[in-house]
Amino acid sequence: MLYVNKSLKNLKVGGNKIGSMGGHAIADALVENTTLQSINLRCNGIGVDGGIAVGHALRVNTTLESISLARNDIGEMGSIEIAEALHENTSLKSINLSHNKIRTIGGSSLAQSLKYNEHLEEVDLAHNKVGNKGAIGMGNALLKNQILANINISGNHVGPRG
């Protein structure tokens, strides 16, 4: 459906437990779709493989402005692939990666991408475990990124050093 649809702008499929296979199917559709601007995939259990597939799709999709991947357990590897995609993506303005088991390496990868992404305005990384190192990376990203207006790193095991 998303492959050929030319009118749909917003899609909400949160809480449907589509799993990795559904994550792959949506990612494949995002590669081809040229009208969708917003997608909410929260609480679907797409996991690491689905997160990686979505990351691949975000590299080439040029119309999506907002994506919520909250509560999908994409983990380190999924977040690293998404971070790589953020180097190339020029349309995304908002991404929600909260509650995804993202740890220090994933958080640091995302922070590195934010240094150079000139389009994202909002990033939600709440309730992961990026720790001090990830928080420091986010702070360093803000020194270079003048577009990003909102970052949420609440509940990330950040201490005084972060």
Side-chain angles (χ1 to χ4, degrees):
M1 175 179 88
L2 286 177
Y3 290 106
V4 295
N5 185 288
K6 300 296 182 208
S7 62
L8 190 65
K9 301 229 183 282
N10 300 298
L11 178 62
K12 295 180 181 179
V13 292
N16 282 304
K17 308 295 182 207
I18 62 173
S20 177
M21 192 162 44
H24 275 273
I26 286 180
D28 289 345
L30 288 176
V31 169
E32 301 295 326
N33 184 282
T34 59
T35 58
L36 197 64
Q37 295 173 350
S38 175
I39 188 165
N40 183 336
L41 293 170
R42 85 182 282 122
C43 299
N44 270 299
I46 67 170
V48 173
D49 289 341
I52 290 170
V54 169
H56 287 301
L58 292 177
R59 288 176 185 252
V60 297
N61 183 286
T62 60
T63 58
L64 198 63
E65 295 179 3
S66 176
I67 187 168
S68 176
L69 293 165
R71 296 183 182 270
N72 270 297
D73 296 331
I74 65 168
E76 292 284 75
M77 297 308 294
S79 65
I80 289 169
E81 185 59 41
I82 289 169
E84 292 293 321
L86 294 178
H87 279 290
E88 299 172 36
N89 185 288
T90 60
S91 63
L92 208 58
K93 294 179 182 173
S94 175
I95 188 165
N96 184 338
L97 297 169
S98 64
H99 297 274
N100 264 302
K101 299 182 180 176
I102 299 170
R103 300 191 183 283
T104 302
I105 295 170
S108 296
S109 295
L110 288 162
Q112 188 67 22
S113 292
L114 295 179
K115 284 183 184 179
Y116 306 104
N117 184 297
E118 297 177 349
H119 306 282
L120 265 177
E121 298 171 7
E122 182 174 12
V123 176
D124 190 341
L125 284 168
H127 302 286
N128 285 290
K129 295 183 180 175
V130 301
N132 289 333
K133 189 173 180 184
I136 291 168
M138 293 292 161
N140 289 335
L142 289 175
L143 294 173
K144 291 191 177 198
N145 185 317
Q146 300 299 307
I147 304 299
L148 198 57
N150 299 294
I151 296 180
N152 184 356
I153 58 168
S154 302
N156 266 285
H157 302 274
V158 177
R161 291 185 350 192

